[in-house]
Every structure is written in C-alpha cells, then in structure tokens.
Amino acid sequence: MKQLLLATSALVAFAGAAAAEVTVTGDARIGLRYDDGLACSTCADGTRSGWNTVSRARAIFTMTGETDSGLSFGANFRADQASRAVGGNGGSSSGTRGTVWISGTYGKLSAGDIDSGLESAVGDLPEIGVSSLNYYNEMQYTGSDLDTEVYDEAGLLYEYKFGDASIYASFMDQYVGYSGEKRLTGNSWSLGAGYNLGNYTFGIGYEKAGIFVDPVSYTYLNESLSDDATVGVNVFDNDNRTWGISGGTSVAGITFKAIYLSTKVDGSNSIGSISSDDYDFRQYGIGAEYKMANGVQLAGYWRKLDGDSVLLANGLRSDNDANIYGIGAGYDLGGGAVVKGGIAHIEGTSAFLGGGRDIDRTIADFGLQLKF
C-alpha cells in the first residue's frame, strides 16, 4: 500500500515529547450493483428492482506519535467523517466518527467508532462483493451498533494482548454528546476474550445493553437511525443480555469460521418495547474463504436469524426469523487493485415490519476495489 507522507519528524511544542507523523492512505471502488429491494413508495409491495452505479473514493488520515517514555498515541478518520470526528452533536467534543487511541504496556484504549468487546472477541463472517453487499456477513451486535449506526455517540474499547490471548472491554452510553438529553434509559457494556491455539482461533464474550436492535428488520432494511431521537422500527426500549462464541481453523488453505449468539430480552410495558413478555433471539453463522497463490479469492457465508414468534396487535402470532446466504469471488491484480463480485440473499418473516411482513431480497455487484 502506497502512502503519502504529509509530515514527518514534527516537533511537539512541549518538552519530553517524541516525533509525530501524519499519513494519508485511501480506498475507492467502481462497478455495478443490482438490488431487487429498492424502496418504492408507489409500488404495491413498497420495493422495486434496479441497477445502480458503484462509485466511491475516500481519503484516510492517520496521525501517530510516541512519548519518550514509550506511550503511543494516535487518531484516524476518513475525509467523509471529518465533521463528526472532531465534534459530536450540538458542537460538543464527543467525536462520533474515526478513532482516537493511546497504548502502552498495559494495553490500548480507543474512543470513537469502535467495535464492542463482544464483537472484538467473536467477530463476523467473511465480507464479499465490491460494495460489501449491505454487510449481510456481519452478525448483529447491539453494543457495536450503538456507536454510529443506531445512535450517533462515541464508545470506549480497552484491549490487552498477552501471548496468544486477548481480552476486551467496552462501554457505550446513551447520551447525545454532552447535551444532557437522554434518548433512552440504558447503557451498553461488553466483555470478550480471544485465544489462538496453533491452527485454531476461539472467541467468547458477553454484552448487556439498555436497548434491543432487532436483527431481522435491521439486516433487511440496512438503515441507520442515528438522526432519529425516538425509538424506531429497528430499535426497542428493552434491557437485554447477549453472550456469544466463535471458533475457526484453516485446512488446506481454506479458512473456516462459525459463530453463535444468544440474546435474552426483558419484557417491558414502556412505549417502544418489543414485547411485554421476555423474548429470546438466536443468531447462527458459518463462513469460509480461500485465497489461492494465483490471486483468485473465494468466500461465502450462511446466517440464520431465529427469534421467538411475536404476538401481534390483531391477536395473531408472527415469526421473526430469516436465512441469509452470500457467495463472492475476486482476483488480485496487484498494486492494490482487486476485481470483486458477489451475490447475497435474505429471506424470512419480520414480525416488526407491517405486522408480519415476508422478506425476500437479492443484491449483487461486480467491479474493482482499489487501495492507495
């Protein structure tokens, strides 16, 4: 990866500080994308199919430094994140894009757009497609989605590695910047641990959150609710607890990974509650990827979203589950350019979209991913 060095050996204005530097990297993509679930207000089922151009370019700024005592520090953000990397809602000093970190002998502390402790330990499935195909490969982690996807607020992540083991801890509050306006009633905190044993990897973690993000409707819509100060179609005012585990290995050059997550949601009679009764939700996923010496790349995954049936206002019950499949391929041209394409499909029933709405959506893309 080529890097443009903007500043090197910049002296900090106070004594005892070592040199700092700023580098710029970037990424871009170009291609075509098909989606048969595009929103359509005049269509009978609210959706239509169509082709779209895939085109994006981003510059990534990374700033690093180190003190004479060996304490490292840094920050990064993309050009499109700049306004929210330097200040949060209402002009506060809570950056909600990019990250700021410090690290040393006792681990690393990051703030901003971070993964939760549970997601850091357990992880996600292989990403496919030139446009990532709505990130259907990613498991639903409420603690991670609180930081920039569901609500615009920064999070904290602590990580410490020793030998082949890693531990993680994260925290997310529910306040808008420092304004004192509280959107909902809960915070989110999470713990996780990972371990590498020869050719095997393992992860386990636990998360407690004050809101519940429904994986079925959220994955299908793939929408952000960060600008909505009220409970939305994906987000519910219920305390919940999630634990998860993952395992992976490599055989003959093929990397496999399996993930299981289990969430228990407390029933509540509050406005915006998912249910007055307790509600259970389970997520399963398996994935594999293969990178050949000739530059060919193959990847695929399957996810199962399995929630309890839900009692609707009309007295009927509706399932809340979905199956998701994805497969992709690529070819490394060298120099940071990769030809990629993929197809993903989600099907099932959402109890929270139209009182038991059937889900059937296919997306596909093909093009070039570029790194600078």
Side-chain angles (χ1 to χ4, degrees):
M1 179 185 295
K2 297 181 180 179
Q3 295 184 345
L4 173 64
L5 188 61
L6 294 184
T8 56
S9 303
L11 296 178
V12 180
F14 54 86
E21 66 178 31
V22 179
T23 60
V24 176
T25 58
D27 61 60
R29 63 194 188 197
I30 180 173
L32 286 173
R33 171 185 164 107
Y34 171 80
D35 190 341
D36 68 3
L38 296 172
C40 176
S41 59
T42 60
C43 300
D45 63 354
T47 62
R48 63 175 179 85
S49 61
W51 288 88
N52 297 103
T53 299
V54 174
S55 176
R56 184 181 73 183
R58 302 184 302 189
I60 304 169
F61 300 87
T62 303
M63 302 167 283
T64 58
E66 184 175 320
T67 67
D68 288 344
S69 61
L71 182 67
S72 300
F73 53 90
N76 63 20
F77 63 91
R78 303 192 309 257
D80 60 309
Q81 298 174 321
S83 63
R84 293 183 179 181
V86 298
N89 294 319
S92 76
S93 55
S94 178
T96 61
R97 292 293 192 268
T99 56
V100 181
W101 71 86
I102 54 174
S103 64
T105 305
Y106 299 104
K108 180 179 181 180
L109 180 66
S110 303
D113 184 4
I114 53 92
D115 288 337
S116 68
L118 174 60
E119 182 171 10
S120 297
V122 175
D124 294 297
L125 301 176
E127 184 178 309
I128 64 172
V130 70
S131 64
S132 305
L133 296 178
N134 286 15
Y135 300 100
Y136 282 172
N137 63 299
E138 294 189 357
M139 310 298 284
Q140 185 69 53
Y141 297 96
T142 293
S144 293
D145 293 330
L146 294 180
D147 58 355
T148 56
E149 295 176 24
V150 176
Y151 288 104
D152 236 354
E153 187 55 87
L156 284 173
L157 173 69
Y158 170 78
E159 51 192 308
Y160 181 71
K161 302 181 185 297
F162 50 100
D164 293 323
S166 303
I167 58 174
Y168 307 91
S170 65
F171 173 77
M172 174 62 57
D173 65 42
Q174 290 293 278
Y175 287 92
V176 186
Y178 297 135
S179 67
E181 177 188 353
K182 197 170 187 179
R183 293 184 186 266
L184 294 171
T185 58
N187 298 319
S188 171
W189 60 268
S190 179
L191 300 172
Y195 188 72
N196 296 328
L197 181 62
N199 202 36
Y200 298 89
T201 60
F202 303 93
I204 190 170
Y206 176 83
E207 178 177 278
K208 187 178 186 300
I211 67 171
F212 175 66
V213 182
D214 171 46
V216 177
S217 57
Y218 182 85
T219 303
Y220 171 67
L221 293 176
N222 198 243
E223 293 180 348
S224 170
L225 299 179
S226 58
D227 295 326
D228 185 0
T230 62
V231 178
V233 68
N234 305 115
V235 185
F236 300 90
D237 189 8
N238 297 83
D239 292 335
N240 61 95
R241 298 159 303 283
T242 299
W243 74 273
I245 189 169
S246 67
T249 188
S250 296
V251 179
I254 305 176
T255 302
F256 297 93
K257 186 169 187 178
I259 302 174
Y260 174 74
L261 299 173
S262 176
T263 302
K264 291 190 174 298
V265 184
D266 294 340
S268 171
N269 291 317
S270 65
I271 297 176
S273 170
I274 190 173
S275 172
S276 58
D277 298 327
D278 293 348
Y279 178 77
D280 292 339
F281 199 96
R282 297 153 295 277
Q283 300 183 62
Y284 312 82
I286 57 174
E289 53 185 332
Y290 183 35
K291 295 185 178 181
M292 304 180 191
N294 61 3
V296 174
Q297 307 171 2
L298 302 172
Y301 59 81
W302 166 77
R303 287 176 59 202
K304 172 68 174 178
L305 308 179
D306 181 24
D308 289 348
S309 62
V310 177
L311 182 63
L312 304 178
N314 58 13
L316 301 177
R317 284 195 168 272
S318 172
D319 293 333
N320 193 49
D321 54 39
N323 281 285
I324 308 170
Y325 310 88
I327 187 170
Y331 182 71
D332 192 343
L333 300 175
V338 181
V339 179
K340 297 190 74 175
I343 183 170
H345 179 72
I346 178 172
E347 59 183 17
T349 303
S350 171
F352 307 106
L353 295 175
R357 176 176 174 178
D358 289 337
I359 291 174
D360 188 356
R361 184 178 190 178
T362 299
I363 50 179
D365 65 11
F366 178 79
L368 275 170
Q369 275 190 348
L370 310 171
K371 291 188 179 297
F372 305 94

